[in-house]
Amino acid sequence: MNEQNHPFFQALRSRLRMWQTGLLLCSVLQVFGCALMGVTIFALLDFFMAFSQGTLLVLDLIALAGLLILFLTGCVRILRLSSRDMALRADQLLRQRRQPALSAFELVRAPSAGVTDWQEFLIHRSVEEARAGVEKLPVRDCFPFDRFRAQFRVLLLQTAIAAMVLGVTIHASRIILNRIAFPLRDIPPYSPLTFKVTPLQPKVLYGGTIELTAELSGGTVRSPVYLLTRKGGRVD
């Protein structure tokens, strides 16, 4: 039998596309949730460890590569689903213990050599009954609503966790997220300490030294403080 034009296979393929669409949407939600959790963990680590620009860039690339691999592997697995998988799912959705759709799929794919007229009649009738059953299954019912709802609830939970963690200190989160999003920019790590340096335009004194005054706010310094200036790749 010609599988491409066979009504039974056409019915399976139309429902397979809806199933795959739903699974792809679930995969997108999963990747988005993983990205949200990754950014939250990344932000916490940067808050306590104050990564360098090079470390931020490397971690960003690793995270992006991991998300891309996760998404692509999911897409490959979903797109590899065949009409046979859809036949099995149709039997599950129709709650058919005898699995008539799967049996019809195997019968159509079986070699026709040596089949008697009576056997061909029985095969044709079984396939037509399976086709009628599959066509009674609405295409929209093949969408994996249960899995989509479960994945959406997980995403909502992940969003709530990220909002709670990042919302503790909005100012710190804004700085850290900018550092993660733009690792090549010279954005200093977050610190609760604020130094107001005066004068803004210091004059060079004898011997090439300058005097600066710093007014500290936001906390107490309990260790020596070093002022680093970066220009042209050089740190002084």
Side-chain angles (χ1 to χ4, degrees), residues 116-173:
T116 64
D117 293 341
W118 174 246
Q119 290 174 329
E120 185 176 353
F121 169 77
L122 294 177
I123 292 173
H124 177 75
R125 193 173 74 171
S126 298
V127 172
E128 286 301 307
E129 290 177 354
R131 179 188 61 80
V134 171
E135 289 182 347
K136 288 180 181 178
L137 180 66
V139 175
R140 65 179 181 273
D141 288 353
C142 296
F143 188 92
F145 285 104
D146 292 343
R147 183 169 178 176
F148 183 82
R149 283 192 291 265
Q151 192 64 55
F152 187 74
R153 285 194 292 267
V154 172
L155 179 60
L156 290 179
L157 178 61
Q158 292 169 328
T159 303
I161 294 173
M164 287 188 295
V165 173
L166 299 177
V168 173
T169 308
I170 301 297
H171 178 62
S173 297

Side-chain angles (χ1 to χ4, degrees), residues 11-53:
L12 287 178
R13 283 194 294 269
S14 64
R15 285 149 183 82
L16 175 61
R17 286 192 290 269
M18 177 59 70
W19 185 26
Q20 289 174 322
T21 300
L23 292 178
L24 286 173
L25 290 176
C26 292
S27 182
V28 170
L29 294 181
Q30 181 186 24
V31 172
F32 187 78
C34 290
L36 201 58
M37 288 292 94
V39 168
T40 303
I41 296 173
F42 201 169
L44 285 174
L45 293 175
D46 187 62
F47 179 83
F48 291 106
M49 303 179 67
F51 296 125
S52 65
Q53 285 180 280

Side-chain angles (χ1 to χ4, degrees), residues 180-198:
I180 295 173
F182 308 103
L184 296 180
R185 294 184 182 178
D186 190 12
I187 304 176
Y190 168 75
S191 172
L193 302 177
T194 301
F195 293 85
K196 182 181 180 181
V197 180
T198 55

Side-chain angles (χ1 to χ4, degrees), residues 70-227:
L70 176 63
F71 180 68
L72 291 179
T73 53
C75 289
V76 170
R77 178 177 51 81
I78 292 169
L79 295 177
R80 289 182 63 184
L81 291 173
S82 63
S83 297
R84 184 183 188 280
D85 298 313
M86 188 61 235
L88 181 59
R89 177 168 171 78
D91 287 330
Q92 294 173 347
L93 293 174
L94 294 170
R95 298 180 181 179
Q96 297 286 346
R97 294 183 179 181
R98 296 187 300 106
Q99 297 182 319
L102 182 61
S103 299
F105 176 87
E106 299 293 350
L107 289 173
V108 173
R109 295 291 301 274
S112 58
V115 177
T116 64
D117 293 341
W118 174 246
Q119 290 174 329
E120 185 176 353
F121 169 77
L122 294 177
I123 292 173
H124 177 75
R125 193 173 74 171
S126 298
V127 172
E128 286 301 307
E129 290 177 354
R131 179 188 61 80
V134 171
E135 289 182 347
K136 288 180 181 178
L137 180 66
V139 175
R140 65 179 181 273
D141 288 353
C142 296
F143 188 92
F145 285 104
D146 292 343
R147 183 169 178 176
F148 183 82
R149 283 192 291 265
Q151 192 64 55
F152 187 74
R153 285 194 292 267
V154 172
L155 179 60
L156 290 179
L157 178 61
Q158 292 169 328
T159 303
I161 294 173
M164 287 188 295
V165 173
L166 299 177
V168 173
T169 308
I170 301 297
H171 178 62
S173 297
R174 185 181 299 113
I175 294 174
I176 294 172
L177 291 178
N178 280 327
R179 281 168 50 80
I180 295 173
F182 308 103
L184 296 180
R185 294 184 182 178
D186 190 12
I187 304 176
Y190 168 75
S191 172
L193 302 177
T194 301
F195 293 85
K196 182 181 180 181
V197 180
T198 55
L200 294 178
Q201 296 180 347
K203 295 180 180 180
V204 180
L205 303 179
Y206 178 77
T209 61
I210 58 175
E211 288 185 355
L212 299 174
T213 301
E215 181 182 347
L216 177 66
S217 62
T220 303
V221 176
R222 294 184 174 84
S223 60
V225 176
Y226 298 89
L227 174 63

